[in-house]
Amino acid sequence: MSGVGLLILAASPIGDPRDASARLAQALADSDVVAAEDTRRLHRLCADLQVRPSGRVLSYHEHNEATRAADLLAALRAGATVLVVTDAGMPSVSDPGYRLVAAAVAHDVPVTCLPGPSAVLAALAVSGLPVARFCFEGFLPRKPGERARALAALAAEPRTMVFFEAPHRLAATLAAMAEAFGDDRAAAVCRELTKTYEEVRRGSLAELIAWAQGEVRGEITVVVTGATAGRSDPAEALAAVRARVAAGERLKDACKAVSAATGVPSKELYAAATEPPRPR
């Protein structure tokens, strides 16, 4: 090895190993260093692809990313070709990789990627929701208050939104979304994409909450349609106000913020939020 090396970020299959590209197989065979999120999964993938890494195989995950990035950068600056792969999808997208890319760029090390499978794009494609403009929000905070605040900030987002979620938190997350966005907001839950038991559930958040009360397993991607343009539905805007208040924001401030984002008058929102419940 001589001169500067090359950092390669490679997308790995999100379920079906047959989705791996020929370029990924070649890079696994040829790279001087393969940095894998889970070395056991990497070896299973290599077995499926009938390829054997010729270089060093190192673990590179969220718990050692900061320290291991320095070692990998040193190898790159010494002329090594370093391949980064995660358990599924593209490195640095809700997975390790960003620190190393930033360090490589800062030291003028070339960085390239081998495109491939993506849970985000696959979920968007099959969701049946508008996909001309979208944003990726990754995993929401686990704590209810922080999650509510994050969703309240997205209540007026006009683009279709994509989230990752763990199956055991799905029902609670859908309920929090309904509180922030309104329970009639259209959404899709995509489970086990490209795998044997792939399933896509489409409907309103209220309908999806009812379904998610049962046992849900596997890798989950949630797609939620954005807020409608112009003046939002008052009920949806009120739900956003209540989500902000539940997260600790003052009612008056919440009304002003939601009003600015949705076009629903602040006074109207305040009156609706303080109106006593009607007797049944």
Side-chain angles (χ1 to χ4, degrees):
M1 294 182 293
S2 62
V4 70
L6 174 66
L7 174 60
I8 304 173
L9 307 176
S12 54
I14 60 175
D16 194 324
R18 293 173 298 179
D19 293 334
S21 70
R23 294 179 68 197
L24 171 59
Q26 190 67 52
L28 286 168
D30 295 346
S31 296
D32 300 306
V33 180
V34 179
E37 185 177 10
D38 186 326
T39 56
R40 293 169 299 179
R41 290 195 181 190
L42 172 71
H43 288 305
R44 286 200 295 270
L45 176 62
C46 288
D48 288 332
L49 301 180
Q50 298 183 330
V51 63
R52 178 176 295 178
S54 60
R56 290 185 297 150
V57 175
L58 304 175
S59 63
Y60 181 54
H61 46 72
E62 62 176 329
H63 301 298
N64 72 356
E65 182 179 7
T67 54
R68 185 53 57 85
D71 298 334
L72 294 174
L73 178 62
L76 287 163
R77 298 186 70 187
T81 296
V82 175
L83 174 68
V84 178
V85 292
T86 59
D87 292 347
M90 181 63 71
S92 81
V93 181
S94 283
D95 276 318
Y98 168 74
R99 282 191 176 92
L100 181 57
V101 172
V105 170
H107 287 84
D108 295 322
V109 174
V111 180
T112 189
C113 85
L114 307 183
S118 165
V120 175
L121 297 181
L124 280 166
V126 302
S127 69
L129 301 174
V131 295
R133 297 179 66 229
F134 66 89
C135 60
F136 174 59
E137 294 295 327
F139 285 95
L140 287 164
R142 296 184 181 185
K143 295 182 178 180
E146 294 177 4
R147 180 175 57 203
R149 284 190 289 273
L151 290 170
L154 294 169
E157 170 58 61
R159 296 170 295 181
T160 295
M161 297 167 282
V162 185
F163 304 86
F164 288 159
E165 191 50 281
H168 63 278
R169 291 195 297 268
L170 178 61
T173 292
L174 292 172
M177 288 177 172
E179 184 68 23
F181 304 154
D183 59 12
D184 60 345
R185 183 78 72 92
V189 175
C190 306
R191 187 181 71 85
E192 294 290 87
L193 288 169
T194 78
K195 299 179 183 177
T196 302
Y197 298 105
E198 175 178 301
E199 180 180 19
V200 180
R201 288 276 179 166
R202 306 174 183 88
S204 68
L205 286 171
E207 292 168 334
L208 294 173
I209 290 169
W211 164 75
Q213 298 306 314
E215 185 178 25
V216 180
R217 295 182 178 180
E219 301 289 334
I220 303 292
T221 305
V222 181
V223 185
V224 184
T225 193
T228 55
R231 191 180 191 275
S232 299
D233 176 17
E236 192 170 298
L238 179 60
V241 168
R242 287 175 172 159
R244 285 174 173 265
V245 172
E249 192 171 343
R250 290 176 57 212
L251 175 58
K252 184 178 292 187
D253 294 336
C255 290
K256 287 182 179 179
V258 173
S259 175
T262 65
V264 179
S266 179
K267 290 183 178 179
E268 181 180 324
L269 291 170
Y270 189 89
T274 55
E275 181 180 356
R278 296 177 181 177
R280 296 183 177 180

